[in-house]
Amino acid sequence: MRLSRSRRLMAIALTAIAAVTLPSYGHAEDKLLTEAVQFNGTILYLSTKVPGLIFGAVRNGETALAGFGKIADGSEKVPDGDTMFRIASVSKVFCGGVLSSLAIDGKVQLTDRLQDRLGWDVTLPEKDGRALRLIDLVAQASGLPREVPVAEAPPSDPFSTNTKEAQIAALKDNPLLFAPGAAVLYSNFGYDLLGAALANVSGKPYAEVLRERVLDPLGMKDTVFNPRPEDEP
């Protein structure tokens, strides 16, 4: 029997889906939820071509998770609900949570000038008479460029050259692209400075402030700012 081109492609796709669909992780009794997570997770995994992926959904208090691929090159372990992933810029949401917590406790005001909260020996730039404020940083309205100009870092430690000294040097170089609060432009640099200011206000490292203010209250025991020695594998 010969298949048309469209049917051959469909058969290949169905074979691929069957090959990568894995049992869901979680406790969902909702069979529709489990089926939807497995199917949609499979489509996402095949289309993105990532090494590993976790796909999850919550409905009516039930959770379903499905894992695809491998956790690392050379590993046979499939990702599951306990697999660590770098969350990259999702960490900005956590930083905003730290700021909100400190504001609720009266430790800061959202409209505080960064100059008054950063605690560094540097005069921060202003533009059109506007100073950088904490709310400008968290709202991506700082006027700062996306990244701090830094030397290339090794792949094993990609942020090692983004130091306090590098940030101070950039602040001295008139980096503002527009007046703070006048527009919106995504900036990792702005959140670097926000985290430093929140640490200074709290009198302890940002990672500790994050854990105390956000992670521990939410019971997120396996979400960390820096990987622990046991996390590397």
Side-chain angles (χ1 to χ4, degrees):
M1 183 179 68
R2 295 176 63 88
L3 295 176
S4 68
R5 182 173 183 274
S6 62
R7 288 189 176 183
R8 288 200 306 272
L9 291 174
M10 178 62 72
I12 292 170
L14 290 174
T15 301
I17 289 174
V20 301
T21 300
L22 299 168
S24 64
Y25 302 91
H27 55 272
E29 297 180 2
D30 185 337
K31 293 182 179 180
L32 174 59
L33 182 63
T34 297
E35 183 75 14
V37 164
Q38 290 181 340
F39 182 79
N40 287 285
T42 299
I43 298 299
L44 182 63
Y45 175 66
L46 291 174
S47 63
T48 57
K49 298 181 175 63
V50 293
L53 180 143
I54 290 288
F55 192 94
V58 179
R59 185 172 81 155
N60 298 329
E62 290 197 58
T63 302
L65 296 171
F68 305 89
K70 307 297 180 184
I71 65 168
D73 291 339
S75 172
E76 293 303 312
K77 181 174 173 55
V78 177
D80 60 25
D82 294 321
T83 300
M84 272 197 158
F85 287 85
R86 276 186 56 201
I87 63 171
S89 285
V90 177
S91 61
K92 291 182 173 66
V93 179
F94 291 84
C95 190
V98 174
L99 173 61
S100 298
S101 173
L102 290 169
I104 289 169
D105 285 352
K107 305 291 186 182
V108 297
Q109 299 285 329
L110 297 181
T111 53
D112 284 349
R113 296 194 320 156
L114 178 62
Q115 183 73 68
D116 300 329
R117 295 302 189 178
L118 187 57
W120 292 356
D121 185 19
V122 59
T123 299
L124 299 185
E126 298 186 5
K127 196 174 185 67
D128 297 341
R130 296 193 184 191
L132 281 162
R133 304 169 299 169
L134 300 185
I135 194 170
D136 299 324
L137 300 173
V138 76
Q140 297 287 19
S142 66
L144 291 165
R146 180 182 178 92
E147 305 291 351
V148 182
V150 297
E152 186 174 355
S156 60
D157 194 3
F159 304 112
S160 59
T161 57
N162 185 7
T163 61
K164 173 182 174 180
E165 291 71 26
Q167 293 168 22
I168 288 176
L171 289 169
K172 290 180 176 179
D173 194 29
N174 192 27
L176 293 180
L177 304 174
F178 55 80
V184 171
L185 183 69
Y186 192 91
S187 174
N188 290 323
F189 190 0
Y191 267 81
D192 291 335
L193 297 175
L194 179 57
L198 299 179
N200 180 60
V201 168
S202 303
K204 58 187 69 174
Y206 175 75
E208 190 174 336
V209 182
L210 173 66
R211 179 178 56 78
E212 292 178 356
R213 293 261 170 188
V214 176
L215 302 179
D216 281 356
L218 293 175
M220 303 180 73
K221 302 300 184 184
D222 291 316
T223 300
V224 294
F225 187 76
N226 296 306
R228 302 160 295 196
E230 65 270 23
D231 295 329
E232 187 170 340

